[in-house]
Amino acid sequence: MTAWKKRPMTSPFYLLLTAGLAGTLLIEALLAPRPCPFWQRGGAAASVHLGSWLLTFGAFFAVLQRPGLAVVTLLALQLVVVQSSNTKSQTLNEPFICHDFEYFWDAIRHPRLYVPFFGVRLAIAASTAGVVAIAAFFYWEASAVSQWGGWAFLATCGGLCVSGAVLIALGLRRLDAITLHPAHDLETLGLFASLWAYGVALLRSSAPPPDASPFYHDTVAPPAAPTTVLPHTVLVQSESFSDPRSWCPDVADDLLPHWDLSGRQAQQRGTLSVPAWGANTVRTECAVLTGLTPEQWGIRQFNPYRTLARRHFPSLAATFKKAGYRTVCVHPYPASFYFRHRVMPQLGFDTFIDVEDFSPDDRNGQYIGDAAVARKVAALLDDSADAPLFIFVITMENHGPLDLERPRHDALADTLPRAPWPLPAHQRNLAVYLHHLRQADAMLETLTRALGQGSRPGVLGWYGDHVPILPQAYAYYSAPTGETPYMLWSSQKNQRDRHPTTPQRLAANELGSVLLQHVWQAASGRQGPRKDSEYQ
């Protein structure tokens, strides 16, 4: 004990510091996909890894004053990141990146959306173990300040932090450029270096200029005739909407009757290339509303709404607003999620209707049901006969985690008619998903009827934001391509007849401009008061 007081940086301390560094590499090896071996990453990545350990250890040691507790705490936090990354890779085909740190706060605010993917039991066990470990270390491990003295302790912590910061700075200067393909960058750089590289790139990046958006130039303009009747326009971003019949032979052939009928009547339909898999809805949402590609967003593509929350930007909604539309966004979830309460006004929406405008009776499963959302949209259309309305709908009913719900036996006849009961593991979440998919199909029928019966013509756009999270089903059957279906439908029968319905593939950022083209065509093809016989 006396030697420790006289010489703070003794062999036990060095051994603990080295053991912690080795622990970071062992925990990193648990990643899936696994990074390449430490010695193959190059000196720059190794420098960032070593510097990260010294900097974080020095900082935690300064706060906790106990080197053993600092090591265990840091390794435990790294294990949480690794587990989160593995879960994200399994469900979303993308590992953990620096942008994802803010989701830990979202997990506290919206635990239902995040904790079940991590594992409820694992989360409880990890939290309990963490509390016990902290208590044990505070009880058994003496404070370094009392053993070393204040100045020696501060000098040690400061030296560790400064050394770590210098190694990180030197490594980042020579680090290979990131590719913005997270799995590849994690594999080549390792966990610590890839997190730093993405973080620095984000800080150095700039937002795309407004003139990068196709809506900035008004390239798709409304008809100028004074007698033009602008149609009501509804664009639905249906949560996890896809057609599983393309990859799952056990699904009922008539799973989506209204989708099939509307598709045959559609002005345009096909598949949509979306920049998301399983989640990250705002990436697809942003592409549709702004017309920008992920490449144009650069490093900001992984959460573009953080940028849009702070600035106005040309958008599909703003274009409709300029043409005389009242613009409304309907999203039956807390408005603050993904900063939508700040983003939507910046994108030109006059009104944002969130979960506060619905009642608990509107739930279907875990969230507000599609039927309630359809009724809300139909009421808005009914109350807006005198002025054109653009409604952008972001549904929630089919949002995961699906395993929080039990499959319904009585629903299998319409979804998985040949499935045994009880269901095998690969069909349980699939059955839940298909049940809610049928509700989305019913919503589609409600909206086409509401648009067709109104006093003003109507155009409906519909697309899925991403494929659902069904890893067990994909492993048993086959994984989908990742594209989602879309459709553009008009209440005017003469408009439907003049457009072929041969499927056309679009990128998500192209959908908004194509929708505008069909809306203006519907307006120019319809003059004066409507006759009901035209909308059959």
Side-chain angles (χ1 to χ4, degrees), residues 427-448:
Q427 289 186 332
R428 291 172 190 163
N429 286 359
L430 176 62
V432 173
Y433 169 73
L434 295 176
H435 168 69
H436 291 302
L437 194 62
R438 293 270 297 182
Q439 308 311 305
D441 187 66
M443 175 184 177
L444 173 62
E445 193 273 337
T446 300
L447 295 183
T448 53

Side-chain angles (χ1 to χ4, degrees), residues 158-387:
L160 289 169
C161 291
V162 171
S163 299
V166 170
L167 287 172
I168 292 171
L170 292 175
L172 288 174
R173 290 179 62 182
R174 297 181 289 112
L175 202 64
D176 292 339
I178 55 177
T179 65
L180 297 184
H181 295 287
H184 177 270
D185 293 327
L186 175 64
E187 179 182 358
T188 57
L189 300 177
L191 179 62
F192 289 5
S194 64
L195 291 176
W196 275 104
Y198 272 62
V200 170
L202 184 61
L203 290 174
R204 292 176 176 174
S205 68
S206 57
D211 59 2
S213 171
F215 304 113
Y216 177 85
H217 304 283
D218 289 332
T219 53
V220 182
T227 56
T228 292
V229 176
L230 296 173
H232 285 319
T233 304
V234 178
L235 180 60
V236 178
Q237 179 175 273
S238 183
E239 173 61 38
S240 299
F241 188 84
S242 67
D243 190 344
R245 292 173 293 186
S246 63
W247 55 267
C248 183
D250 291 335
V251 172
D253 293 336
D254 58 348
L255 176 72
L256 303 172
H258 303 300
W259 172 262
D260 294 338
L261 174 61
S262 300
R264 291 192 294 269
Q265 299 173 343
Q267 293 176 286
Q268 184 169 324
R269 62 184 175 89
T271 58
L272 199 66
S273 176
V274 296
W277 174 290
N280 292 310
T281 296
V282 294
R283 299 181 190 178
T284 302
E285 188 176 315
C286 178
V288 172
L289 291 177
T290 67
L292 295 183
T293 65
E295 291 73 23
Q296 289 174 297
W297 281 103
I299 189 66
R300 297 175 182 236
Q301 66 182 272
F302 301 105
N303 187 357
Y305 274 13
R306 177 166 285 280
T307 299
L308 292 177
R310 301 189 298 268
R311 68 190 67 213
H312 289 283
F313 204 82
S315 73
L316 176 64
T319 302
F320 273 113
K321 187 174 182 177
K322 184 183 294 187
Y325 280 75
R326 184 165 73 92
T327 55
V328 179
C329 179
V330 179
H331 180 45
Y333 202 66
S336 60
F337 192 54
Y338 272 119
F339 309 104
R340 284 190 178 97
H341 65 302
R342 293 160 55 187
V343 171
M344 294 306 167
Q346 303 279 39
L347 292 179
F349 285 96
D350 298 314
T351 306
F352 189 179
I353 297 174
D354 73 343
V355 69
E356 297 298 326
D357 291 274
F358 296 86
S359 71
D361 294 336
D362 291 329
R363 287 182 173 271
N364 190 334
Q366 304 175 66
Y367 308 102
I368 300 298
D370 289 350
V373 176
R375 290 193 298 269
K376 180 71 68 175
V377 174
L380 289 170
L381 294 171
D382 189 55
D383 293 339
S384 301
D386 297 333

Side-chain angles (χ1 to χ4, degrees), residues 82-218:
V82 168
Q83 175 63 25
S84 301
S85 182
N86 290 346
T87 301
K88 188 184 176 193
S89 294
Q90 181 185 20
T91 56
L92 309 184
N93 288 355
E94 181 181 290
F96 193 93
I97 58 177
C98 75
H99 304 60
D100 297 328
F101 280 112
E102 68 177 297
Y103 293 140
F104 287 124
W105 174 245
D106 285 336
I108 297 174
R109 298 172 59 211
H110 307 280
R112 178 181 291 272
L113 290 181
Y114 295 94
V115 174
F117 289 114
F118 183 81
V120 176
R121 294 180 181 177
L122 181 60
I124 295 174
S127 301
T128 303
V131 172
V132 172
I134 291 173
F137 271 99
F138 266 100
Y139 181 80
W140 294 107
E141 189 178 20
S143 168
V145 175
S146 62
Q147 291 185 324
W148 301 357
W151 287 112
F153 172 76
L154 291 175
T156 301
C157 295
L160 289 169
C161 291
V162 171
S163 299
V166 170
L167 287 172
I168 292 171
L170 292 175
L172 288 174
R173 290 179 62 182
R174 297 181 289 112
L175 202 64
D176 292 339
I178 55 177
T179 65
L180 297 184
H181 295 287
H184 177 270
D185 293 327
L186 175 64
E187 179 182 358
T188 57
L189 300 177
L191 179 62
F192 289 5
S194 64
L195 291 176
W196 275 104
Y198 272 62
V200 170
L202 184 61
L203 290 174
R204 292 176 176 174
S205 68
S206 57
D211 59 2
S213 171
F215 304 113
Y216 177 85
H217 304 283
D218 289 332

